[in-house]
Amino acid sequence: MTWFSDETLSFLRDLSENNNRDWFTENKPRYEAHIKEAAAQFADAMTQRLSASYATDVTARIFRMHRDLRFSKDKTPYNTHIHMGFRDAQTGASWMVGLQTEHLVVGFGVFTFEREALDHWRETVAGPQGEVLQVLHAQAESDGLRISEPELKRVPMAWEADHPHGDLLRRKGIVWWNDHVPQAEIMGPDGPAMIAIELRAMEPLRNWMQLALDPQV
C-alpha cells in the first residue's frame, strides 16, 4: 500500500519548479506511486471512515492534476496540489481535503448551490435559522476556522438591502475551512484517522444543514 509521504511533497515541489510535459513524463513513475496511488488509497480509507462515522453514503472525487487551459492565461499544464472531495448524501455538501506544497487545508460545505437549492437556502437563512447560522459562524471564526466569502456584493432584490441576515443572503454557497492542519497529519496509514478528527470541527455546519436544509431540494 502507498500512502501520502514526504515523497508526495517532494514530487509536488519538484513539479512546481518543472511544470512541463517532458518533466512530468520523465517522472511519471513518481506520480503514479506517490500521487495517484496514494490519493486513491487515502480516498478509499477516508470514504469508509466518514461513511461509518456519520451513517451516510459518501462518494469520493479526486480532482485531476491536468489543468484546464482553455480560458487561462497561465498555460502550465499541471496543478501542483492534490484536491479531494467527499460528498455527503445526507446534506448534499462535501468534506474537502487539499494538500499543497507548503500547507494542508480541510473543509466542509457547498461551493455553489444548484438553482432550486439556492432558492431554498435564501428562504431558510432569511428566517430564524439564519440567526442560528450566524451564531455558528461567529463561534467557528473564534475557533480559528475560515468561512468562505459571500459571492454577491448586494442582497438579492427580494429582500431589504439592510436585512439582518444579509451576509448569508449574499452567498451562493457556504464552506468552512481549517487552514491550520499540519501536513504531517495526512501522512502514512494514520492519515485518514487524523484528518477525520480535524473534520469534526465542521460538525456544527453539517448539523445545521441536516436540520435547516432539505438535501433533496
PDB file of all heavy atoms in Angstrom, residues 93-121:
ATOM      1  N   ALA A  93     -23.629  18.340   0.799  1.00  0.00           N
ATOM      2  CA  ALA A  93     -22.363  19.056   0.923  1.00  0.00           C
ATOM      3  C   ALA A  93     -21.208  18.061   0.823  1.00  0.00           C
ATOM      4  O   ALA A  93     -21.418  16.857   0.683  1.00  0.00           O
ATOM      5  CB  ALA A  93     -22.321  19.819   2.244  1.00  0.00           C
ATOM      6  N   SER A  94     -19.986  18.578   0.904  1.00  0.00           N
ATOM      7  CA  SER A  94     -18.805  17.713   0.800  1.00  0.00           C
ATOM      8  C   SER A  94     -17.773  18.077   1.848  1.00  0.00           C
ATOM      9  O   SER A  94     -17.588  19.260   2.175  1.00  0.00           O
ATOM     10  CB  SER A  94     -18.155  17.852  -0.590  1.00  0.00           C
ATOM     11  OG  SER A  94     -19.007  17.350  -1.601  1.00  0.00           O
ATOM     12  N   TRP A  95     -17.119  17.051   2.375  1.00  0.00           N
ATOM     13  CA  TRP A  95     -15.873  17.261   3.102  1.00  0.00           C
ATOM     14  C   TRP A  95     -14.777  17.448   2.066  1.00  0.00           C
ATOM     15  O   TRP A  95     -14.793  16.819   0.999  1.00  0.00           O
ATOM     16  CB  TRP A  95     -15.550  16.049   3.972  1.00  0.00           C
ATOM     17  CG  TRP A  95     -16.491  15.844   5.118  1.00  0.00           C
ATOM     18  CD1 TRP A  95     -16.468  16.468   6.335  1.00  0.00           C
ATOM     19  CD2 TRP A  95     -17.594  14.919   5.175  1.00  0.00           C
ATOM     20  NE1 TRP A  95     -17.481  15.992   7.134  1.00  0.00           N
ATOM     21  CE2 TRP A  95     -18.189  15.039   6.447  1.00  0.00           C
ATOM     22  CE3 TRP A  95     -18.134  13.995   4.266  1.00  0.00           C
ATOM     23  CZ2 TRP A  95     -19.287  14.286   6.841  1.00  0.00           C
ATOM     24  CZ3 TRP A  95     -19.227  13.244   4.650  1.00  0.00           C
ATOM     25  CH2 TRP A  95     -19.799  13.383   5.925  1.00  0.00           C
ATOM     26  N   MET A  96     -13.799  18.304   2.339  1.00  0.00           N
ATOM     27  CA  MET A  96     -12.772  18.630   1.356  1.00  0.00           C
ATOM     28  C   MET A  96     -11.385  18.554   1.989  1.00  0.00           C
ATOM     29  O   MET A  96     -11.199  18.925   3.151  1.00  0.00           O
ATOM     30  CB  MET A  96     -13.010  20.026   0.795  1.00  0.00           C
ATOM     31  CG  MET A  96     -14.401  20.210   0.207  1.00  0.00           C
ATOM     32  SD  MET A  96     -14.777  21.939  -0.130  1.00  0.00           S
ATOM     33  CE  MET A  96     -16.569  21.874  -0.265  1.00  0.00           C
ATOM     34  N   VAL A  97     -10.434  18.081   1.202  1.00  0.00           N
ATOM     35  CA  VAL A  97      -9.050  17.973   1.645  1.00  0.00           C
ATOM     36  C   VAL A  97      -8.160  18.498   0.531  1.00  0.00           C
ATOM     37  O   VAL A  97      -8.291  18.076  -0.627  1.00  0.00           O
ATOM     38  CB  VAL A  97      -8.670  16.515   1.969  1.00  0.00           C
ATOM     39  CG1 VAL A  97      -7.210  16.424   2.391  1.00  0.00           C
ATOM     40  CG2 VAL A  97      -9.582  15.944   3.053  1.00  0.00           C
ATOM     41  N   GLY A  98      -7.276  19.423   0.854  1.00  0.00           N
ATOM     42  CA  GLY A  98      -6.364  19.976  -0.142  1.00  0.00           C
ATOM     43  C   GLY A  98      -4.932  19.954   0.367  1.00  0.00           C
ATOM     44  O   GLY A  98      -4.599  20.623   1.355  1.00  0.00           O
ATOM     45  N   LEU A  99      -4.091  19.166  -0.286  1.00  0.00           N
ATOM     46  CA  LEU A  99      -2.673  19.078   0.074  1.00  0.00           C
ATOM     47  C   LEU A  99      -1.865  19.865  -0.940  1.00  0.00           C
ATOM     48  O   LEU A  99      -1.866  19.543  -2.131  1.00  0.00           O
ATOM     49  CB  LEU A  99      -2.225  17.616   0.107  1.00  0.00           C
ATOM     50  CG  LEU A  99      -0.742  17.360   0.431  1.00  0.00           C
ATOM     51  CD1 LEU A  99      -0.381  17.924   1.803  1.00  0.00           C
ATOM     52  CD2 LEU A  99      -0.418  15.877   0.347  1.00  0.00           C
ATOM     53  N   GLN A 100      -1.178  20.902  -0.470  1.00  0.00           N
ATOM     54  CA  GLN A 100      -0.356  21.736  -1.339  1.00  0.00           C
ATOM     55  C   GLN A 100       1.105  21.635  -0.905  1.00  0.00           C
ATOM     56  O   GLN A 100       1.418  20.957   0.072  1.00  0.00           O
ATOM     57  CB  GLN A 100      -0.873  23.173  -1.289  1.00  0.00           C
ATOM     58  CG  GLN A 100      -2.361  23.251  -1.648  1.00  0.00           C
ATOM     59  CD  GLN A 100      -2.834  24.657  -1.941  1.00  0.00           C
ATOM     60  OE1 GLN A 100      -2.074  25.487  -2.425  1.00  0.00           O
ATOM     61  NE2 GLN A 100      -4.090  24.922  -1.657  1.00  0.00           N
ATOM     62  N   THR A 101       1.960  22.294  -1.642  1.00  0.00           N
ATOM     63  CA  THR A 101       3.389  22.127  -1.393  1.00  0.00           C
ATOM     64  C   THR A 101       3.795  22.549   0.010  1.00  0.00           C
ATOM     65  O   THR A 101       4.687  21.952   0.606  1.00  0.00           O
ATOM     66  CB  THR A 101       4.214  22.925  -2.424  1.00  0.00           C
ATOM     67  OG1 THR A 101       3.803  24.299  -2.376  1.00  0.00           O
ATOM     68  CG2 THR A 101       4.032  22.372  -3.818  1.00  0.00           C
ATOM     69  N   GLU A 102       3.136  23.581   0.550  1.00  0.00           N
ATOM     70  CA  GLU A 102       3.573  24.106   1.843  1.00  0.00           C
ATOM     71  C   GLU A 102       2.525  24.025   2.942  1.00  0.00           C
ATOM     72  O   GLU A 102       2.810  24.351   4.090  1.00  0.00           O
ATOM     73  CB  GLU A 102       4.012  25.575   1.692  1.00  0.00           C
ATOM     74  CG  GLU A 102       5.142  25.768   0.687  1.00  0.00           C
ATOM     75  CD  GLU A 102       6.394  24.988   1.046  1.00  0.00           C
ATOM     76  OE1 GLU A 102       6.632  24.744   2.247  1.00  0.00           O
ATOM     77  OE2 GLU A 102       7.134  24.601   0.113  1.00  0.00           O
ATOM     78  N   HIS A 103       1.302  23.624   2.610  1.00  0.00           N
ATOM     79  CA  HIS A 103       0.303  23.544   3.664  1.00  0.00           C
ATOM     80  C   HIS A 103      -0.822  22.585   3.288  1.00  0.00           C
ATOM     81  O   HIS A 103      -0.921  22.118   2.153  1.00  0.00           O
ATOM     82  CB  HIS A 103      -0.264  24.928   4.004  1.00  0.00           C
ATOM     83  CG  HIS A 103      -1.131  25.524   2.947  1.00  0.00           C
ATOM     84  ND1 HIS A 103      -0.632  26.169   1.840  1.00  0.00           N
ATOM     85  CD2 HIS A 103      -2.483  25.568   2.821  1.00  0.00           C
ATOM     86  CE1 HIS A 103      -1.628  26.591   1.086  1.00  0.00           C
ATOM     87  NE2 HIS A 103      -2.760  26.233   1.654  1.00  0.00           N
ATOM     88  N   LEU A 104      -1.659  22.311   4.295  1.00  0.00           N
ATOM     89  CA  LEU A 104      -2.789  21.397   4.157  1.00  0.00           C
ATOM     90  C   LEU A 104      -4.038  22.129   4.623  1.00  0.00           C
ATOM     91  O   LEU A 104      -4.010  22.834   5.636  1.00  0.00           O
ATOM     92  CB  LEU A 104      -2.547  20.153   5.025  1.00  0.00           C
ATOM     93  CG  LEU A 104      -3.675  19.137   5.175  1.00  0.00           C
ATOM     94  CD1 LEU A 104      -3.991  18.470   3.846  1.00  0.00           C
ATOM     95  CD2 LEU A 104      -3.283  18.077   6.216  1.00  0.00           C
ATOM     96  N   VAL A 105      -5.127  21.978   3.883  1.00  0.00           N
ATOM     97  CA  VAL A 105      -6.387  22.616   4.264  1.00  0.00           C
ATOM     98  C   VAL A 105      -7.499  21.583   4.191  1.00  0.00           C
ATOM     99  O   VAL A 105      -7.505  20.716   3.314  1.00  0.00           O
ATOM    100  CB  VAL A 105      -6.692  23.827   3.344  1.00  0.00           C
ATOM    101  CG1 VAL A 105      -6.830  23.398   1.894  1.00  0.00           C
ATOM    102  CG2 VAL A 105      -7.957  24.556   3.803  1.00  0.00           C
ATOM    103  N   VAL A 106      -8.426  21.649   5.153  1.00  0.00           N
ATOM    104  CA  VAL A 106      -9.600  20.779   5.130  1.00  0.00           C
ATOM    105  C   VAL A 106     -10.834  21.647   5.294  1.00  0.00           C
ATOM    106  O   VAL A 106     -10.765  22.753   5.863  1.00  0.00           O
ATOM    107  CB  VAL A 106      -9.549  19.698   6.233  1.00  0.00           C
ATOM    108  CG1 VAL A 106      -8.305  18.837   6.078  1.00  0.00           C
ATOM    109  CG2 VAL A 106      -9.621  20.308   7.631  1.00  0.00           C
ATOM    110  N   GLY A 107     -11.967  21.160   4.807  1.00  0.00           N
ATOM    111  CA  GLY A 107     -13.185  21.960   4.890  1.00  0.00           C
ATOM    112  C   GLY A 107     -14.437  21.129   4.733  1.00  0.00           C
ATOM    113  O   GLY A 107     -14.390  19.909   4.541  1.00  0.00           O
ATOM    114  N   PHE A 108     -15.567  21.823   4.813  1.00  0.00           N
ATOM    115  CA  PHE A 108     -16.868  21.184   4.605  1.00  0.00           C
ATOM    116  C   PHE A 108     -17.838  22.243   4.113  1.00  0.00           C
ATOM    117  O   PHE A 108     -17.861  23.367   4.610  1.00  0.00           O
ATOM    118  CB  PHE A 108     -17.413  20.576   5.899  1.00  0.00           C
ATOM    119  CG  PHE A 108     -18.776  19.941   5.736  1.00  0.00           C
ATOM    120  CD1 PHE A 108     -18.883  18.649   5.242  1.00  0.00           C
ATOM    121  CD2 PHE A 108     -19.927  20.636   6.052  1.00  0.00           C
ATOM    122  CE1 PHE A 108     -20.132  18.056   5.069  1.00  0.00           C
ATOM    123  CE2 PHE A 108     -21.177  20.056   5.882  1.00  0.00           C
ATOM    124  CZ  PHE A 108     -21.273  18.753   5.391  1.00  0.00           C
ATOM    125  N   GLY A 109     -18.652  21.857   3.118  1.00  0.00           N
ATOM    126  CA  GLY A 109     -19.672  22.773   2.645  1.00  0.00           C
ATOM    127  C   GLY A 109     -20.024  22.556   1.195  1.00  0.00           C
ATOM    128  O   GLY A 109     -19.792  21.484   0.628  1.00  0.00           O
ATOM    129  N   VAL A 110     -20.598  23.597   0.600  1.00  0.00           N
ATOM    130  CA  VAL A 110     -21.041  23.579  -0.797  1.00  0.00           C
ATOM    131  C   VAL A 110     -20.445  24.795  -1.488  1.00  0.00           C
ATOM    132  O   VAL A 110     -20.681  25.931  -1.053  1.00  0.00           O
ATOM    133  CB  VAL A 110     -22.580  23.625  -0.901  1.00  0.00           C
ATOM    134  CG1 VAL A 110     -23.021  23.645  -2.358  1.00  0.00           C
ATOM    135  CG2 VAL A 110     -23.212  22.454  -0.160  1.00  0.00           C
ATOM    136  N   PHE A 111     -19.688  24.579  -2.560  1.00  0.00           N
ATOM    137  CA  PHE A 111     -19.120  25.708  -3.296  1.00  0.00           C
ATOM    138  C   PHE A 111     -20.215  26.555  -3.938  1.00  0.00           C
ATOM    139  O   PHE A 111     -20.228  27.773  -3.809  1.00  0.00           O
ATOM    140  CB  PHE A 111     -18.146  25.219  -4.368  1.00  0.00           C
ATOM    141  CG  PHE A 111     -16.803  24.832  -3.835  1.00  0.00           C
ATOM    142  CD1 PHE A 111     -16.324  23.546  -4.003  1.00  0.00           C
ATOM    143  CD2 PHE A 111     -16.004  25.748  -3.159  1.00  0.00           C
ATOM    144  CE1 PHE A 111     -15.081  23.177  -3.510  1.00  0.00           C
ATOM    145  CE2 PHE A 111     -14.764  25.395  -2.657  1.00  0.00           C
ATOM    146  CZ  PHE A 111     -14.300  24.103  -2.834  1.00  0.00           C
ATOM    147  N   THR A 112     -21.133  25.909  -4.643  1.00  0.00           N
ATOM    148  CA  THR A 112     -22.202  26.621  -5.337  1.00  0.00           C
ATOM    149  C   THR A 112     -23.477  25.777  -5.298  1.00  0.00           C
ATOM    150  O   THR A 112     -23.478  24.645  -5.797  1.00  0.00           O
ATOM    151  CB  THR A 112     -21.839  26.904  -6.804  1.00  0.00           C
ATOM    152  OG1 THR A 112     -20.590  27.599  -6.864  1.00  0.00           O
ATOM    153  CG2 THR A 112     -22.908  27.753  -7.471  1.00  0.00           C
ATOM    154  N   PHE A 113     -24.526  26.315  -4.712  1.00  0.00           N
ATOM    155  CA  PHE A 113     -25.797  25.606  -4.683  1.00  0.00           C
ATOM    156  C   PHE A 113     -26.412  25.539  -6.080  1.00  0.00           C
ATOM    157  O   PHE A 113     -26.286  26.486  -6.875  1.00  0.00           O
ATOM    158  CB  PHE A 113     -26.795  26.324  -3.768  1.00  0.00           C
ATOM    159  CG  PHE A 113     -26.471  26.231  -2.298  1.00  0.00           C
ATOM    160  CD1 PHE A 113     -26.067  27.356  -1.603  1.00  0.00           C
ATOM    161  CD2 PHE A 113     -26.594  25.031  -1.615  1.00  0.00           C
ATOM    162  CE1 PHE A 113     -25.779  27.291  -0.242  1.00  0.00           C
ATOM    163  CE2 PHE A 113     -26.311  24.948  -0.263  1.00  0.00           C
ATOM    164  CZ  PHE A 113     -25.902  26.075   0.433  1.00  0.00           C
ATOM    165  N   GLU A 114     -27.101  24.436  -6.366  1.00  0.00           N
ATOM    166  CA  GLU A 114     -27.938  24.383  -7.563  1.00  0.00           C
ATOM    167  C   GLU A 114     -29.059  25.407  -7.417  1.00  0.00           C
ATOM    168  O   GLU A 114     -29.374  25.868  -6.318  1.00  0.00           O
ATOM    169  CB  GLU A 114     -28.512  22.978  -7.750  1.00  0.00           C
ATOM    170  CG  GLU A 114     -27.465  21.892  -7.947  1.00  0.00           C
ATOM    171  CD  GLU A 114     -26.743  22.009  -9.287  1.00  0.00           C
ATOM    172  OE1 GLU A 114     -27.301  22.635 -10.201  1.00  0.00           O
ATOM    173  OE2 GLU A 114     -25.612  21.491  -9.396  1.00  0.00           O
ATOM    174  N   ARG A 115     -29.704  25.757  -8.537  1.00  0.00           N
ATOM    175  CA  ARG A 115     -30.675  26.847  -8.545  1.00  0.00           C
ATOM    176  C   ARG A 115     -31.774  26.684  -7.491  1.00  0.00           C
ATOM    177  O   ARG A 115     -32.031  27.577  -6.689  1.00  0.00           O
ATOM    178  CB  ARG A 115     -31.307  26.936  -9.936  1.00  0.00           C
ATOM    179  CG  ARG A 115     -32.355  28.023 -10.124  1.00  0.00           C
ATOM    180  CD  ARG A 115     -31.731  29.395 -10.102  1.00  0.00           C
ATOM    181  NE  ARG A 115     -31.946  30.100  -8.848  1.00  0.00           N
ATOM    182  CZ  ARG A 115     -31.454  31.290  -8.574  1.00  0.00           C
ATOM    183  NH1 ARG A 115     -30.699  31.906  -9.447  1.00  0.00           N
ATOM    184  NH2 ARG A 115     -31.699  31.877  -7.419  1.00  0.00           N
ATOM    185  N   GLU A 116     -32.435  25.522  -7.468  1.00  0.00           N
ATOM    186  CA  GLU A 116     -33.522  25.324  -6.516  1.00  0.00           C
ATOM    187  C   GLU A 116     -32.999  25.278  -5.085  1.00  0.00           C
ATOM    188  O   GLU A 116     -33.643  25.781  -4.162  1.00  0.00           O
ATOM    189  CB  GLU A 116     -34.294  24.045  -6.850  1.00  0.00           C
ATOM    190  CG  GLU A 116     -35.099  24.146  -8.141  1.00  0.00           C
ATOM    191  CD  GLU A 116     -35.933  22.904  -8.385  1.00  0.00           C
ATOM    192  OE1 GLU A 116     -35.889  21.978  -7.551  1.00  0.00           O
ATOM    193  OE2 GLU A 116     -36.627  22.853  -9.417  1.00  0.00           O
ATOM    194  N   ALA A 117     -31.830  24.665  -4.902  1.00  0.00           N
ATOM    195  CA  ALA A 117     -31.234  24.612  -3.568  1.00  0.00           C
ATOM    196  C   ALA A 117     -30.835  26.005  -3.091  1.00  0.00           C
ATOM    197  O   ALA A 117     -30.940  26.316  -1.898  1.00  0.00           O
ATOM    198  CB  ALA A 117     -30.029  23.684  -3.570  1.00  0.00           C
ATOM    199  N   LEU A 118     -30.391  26.863  -4.016  1.00  0.00           N
ATOM    200  CA  LEU A 118     -30.040  28.237  -3.655  1.00  0.00           C
ATOM    201  C   LEU A 118     -31.281  29.000  -3.201  1.00  0.00           C
ATOM    202  O   LEU A 118     -31.245  29.739  -2.206  1.00  0.00           O
ATOM    203  CB  LEU A 118     -29.378  28.943  -4.838  1.00  0.00           C
ATOM    204  CG  LEU A 118     -29.000  30.410  -4.624  1.00  0.00           C
ATOM    205  CD1 LEU A 118     -28.017  30.555  -3.464  1.00  0.00           C
ATOM    206  CD2 LEU A 118     -28.402  30.997  -5.909  1.00  0.00           C
ATOM    207  N   ASP A 119     -32.386  28.829  -3.914  1.00  0.00           N
ATOM    208  CA  ASP A 119     -33.634  29.473  -3.503  1.00  0.00           C
ATOM    209  C   ASP A 119     -34.036  29.020  -2.102  1.00  0.00           C
ATOM    210  O   ASP A 119     -34.458  29.832  -1.267  1.00  0.00           O
ATOM    211  CB  ASP A 119     -34.750  29.141  -4.494  1.00  0.00           C
ATOM    212  CG  ASP A 119     -34.544  29.789  -5.855  1.00  0.00           C
ATOM    213  OD1 ASP A 119     -33.755  30.757  -5.943  1.00  0.00           O
ATOM    214  OD2 ASP A 119     -35.172  29.329  -6.830  1.00  0.00           O
ATOM    215  N   HIS A 120     -33.906  27.727  -1.857  1.00  0.00           N
ATOM    216  CA  HIS A 120     -34.270  27.183  -0.546  1.00  0.00           C
ATOM    217  C   HIS A 120     -33.337  27.716   0.540  1.00  0.00           C
ATOM    218  O   HIS A 120     -33.782  28.049   1.650  1.00  0.00           O
ATOM    219  CB  HIS A 120     -34.203  25.654  -0.606  1.00  0.00           C
ATOM    220  CG  HIS A 120     -34.643  24.975   0.651  1.00  0.00           C
ATOM    221  ND1 HIS A 120     -35.851  25.236   1.255  1.00  0.00           N
ATOM    222  CD2 HIS A 120     -34.021  24.039   1.433  1.00  0.00           C
ATOM    223  CE1 HIS A 120     -35.965  24.490   2.357  1.00  0.00           C
ATOM    224  NE2 HIS A 120     -34.860  23.769   2.478  1.00  0.00           N
ATOM    225  N   TRP A 121     -32.043  27.793   0.230  1.00  0.00           N
ATOM    226  CA  TRP A 121     -31.062  28.376   1.159  1.00  0.00           C
ATOM    227  C   TRP A 121     -31.476  29.787   1.557  1.00  0.00           C
ATOM    228  O   TRP A 121     -31.492  30.138   2.738  1.00  0.00           O
ATOM    229  CB  TRP A 121     -29.685  28.371   0.514  1.00  0.00           C
ATOM    230  CG  TRP A 121     -28.695  29.354   1.079  1.00  0.00           C
ATOM    231  CD1 TRP A 121     -28.482  30.634   0.658  1.00  0.00           C
ATOM    232  CD2 TRP A 121     -27.792  29.137   2.179  1.00  0.00           C
ATOM    233  NE1 TRP A 121     -27.498  31.234   1.412  1.00  0.00           N
ATOM    234  CE2 TRP A 121     -27.062  30.336   2.351  1.00  0.00           C
ATOM    235  CE3 TRP A 121     -27.526  28.063   3.014  1.00  0.00           C
ATOM    236  CZ2 TRP A 121     -26.082  30.477   3.332  1.00  0.00           C
ATOM    237  CZ3 TRP A 121     -26.542  28.209   3.996  1.00  0.00           C
ATOM    238  CH2 TRP A 121     -25.838  29.403   4.147  1.00  0.00           C
TER     239      TRP A 121
END
